[in-house]
Amino acid sequence: MKNFILFFSLLILNISGIKASEELTQTIRGTVVDATTGYPIIGAYVILLNSEPRIGTATDINGMFELKKVPIGRQSLQINYVGYETKTYNNLLLVSGKELMLEVSLEEKNNSLGEVVIKASAKKAEAQNELAMVSSRTFSVEETERFAGSLGDPAR
């Protein structure tokens, strides 16, 4: 009987030692909203930096996200969405006793594009459609007003 109790107690200590050596994890939750309007941003990417394998998710229809099984300690998050500035949170302290809740507001990104140049074509006699071989020519808006049945028809 003593051997059974000794064996059973050693087994319990061994199992608890294995359980204690597991990595502690926690969940990060939050919402991503537009900074000016406060409306939720749907489909924004939330990525946990410096994690292997990469842990990430996208926000749902309410702008909410949830990252599960994140190792506790200091973590860094990056939130990005097309048309908005990328936001990075460094040194977020994640503890085992409480989930981390975030409220992220993204600002719109202003992109300046190059100039647009519009050039007129001087070839009025040729058709713009290469497949039109016979009886095709281009005409201006002023010429369309002179066709039969139009508002500017001279015979009216």
Side-chain angles (χ1 to χ4, degrees):
M1 183 72 176
K2 281 186 174 184
N3 288 338
F4 178 71
I5 294 173
L6 182 62
F7 176 74
F8 188 69
S9 62
L10 287 175
L11 181 66
I12 290 175
L13 285 174
N14 194 12
I15 291 173
S16 65
I18 292 172
K19 187 71 173 169
S21 67
E22 288 183 16
E23 186 176 352
L24 297 174
T25 61
Q26 191 53 267
T27 303
I28 300 175
R29 296 177 194 252
T31 57
V32 179
V33 296
D34 185 282
T36 55
T37 63
Y39 288 120
I41 298 177
I42 302 167
Y45 294 111
V46 181
I47 301 168
L48 183 69
L49 300 177
N50 304 325
S51 64
E52 197 59 43
R54 185 67 53 120
I55 300 173
T57 188
T59 57
D60 62 4
I61 196 163
N62 297 322
M64 300 180 78
F65 67 91
E66 180 178 26
L67 291 172
K68 294 182 179 181
K69 296 184 180 178
V70 178
I72 62 169
R74 300 260 180 209
Q75 300 294 340
S76 297
L77 277 181
Q78 183 180 38
I79 299 99
N80 55 7
Y81 188 66
V82 176
Y84 286 84
E85 297 285 339
T86 300
K87 196 163 214 177
T88 304
Y89 288 101
N90 294 319
N91 294 324
L92 294 173
L93 183 58
L94 191 61
V95 294
S96 62
K98 185 177 178 184
E99 290 183 350
L100 182 62
M101 298 292 289
L102 295 174
E103 177 76 24
V104 180
S105 59
L106 295 180
E107 295 182 11
E108 288 188 42
K109 183 191 315 182
N110 295 326
N111 292 334
S112 60
L113 303 175
E115 63 183 33
V116 176
V117 178
I118 301 173
K119 294 183 180 178
S121 175
K123 299 178 182 178
K124 188 173 182 178
E126 293 182 18
Q128 292 179 351
N129 186 354
E130 295 175 2
L131 298 176
M133 298 293 190
V134 181
S135 300
S136 63
R137 74 174 195 85
T138 59
F139 47 89
S140 66
V141 176
E142 292 83 19
E143 290 175 321
T144 60
E145 293 178 358
R146 290 189 235 133
F147 282 105
S150 67
L151 190 60
D153 183 14
R156 268 185 131 174

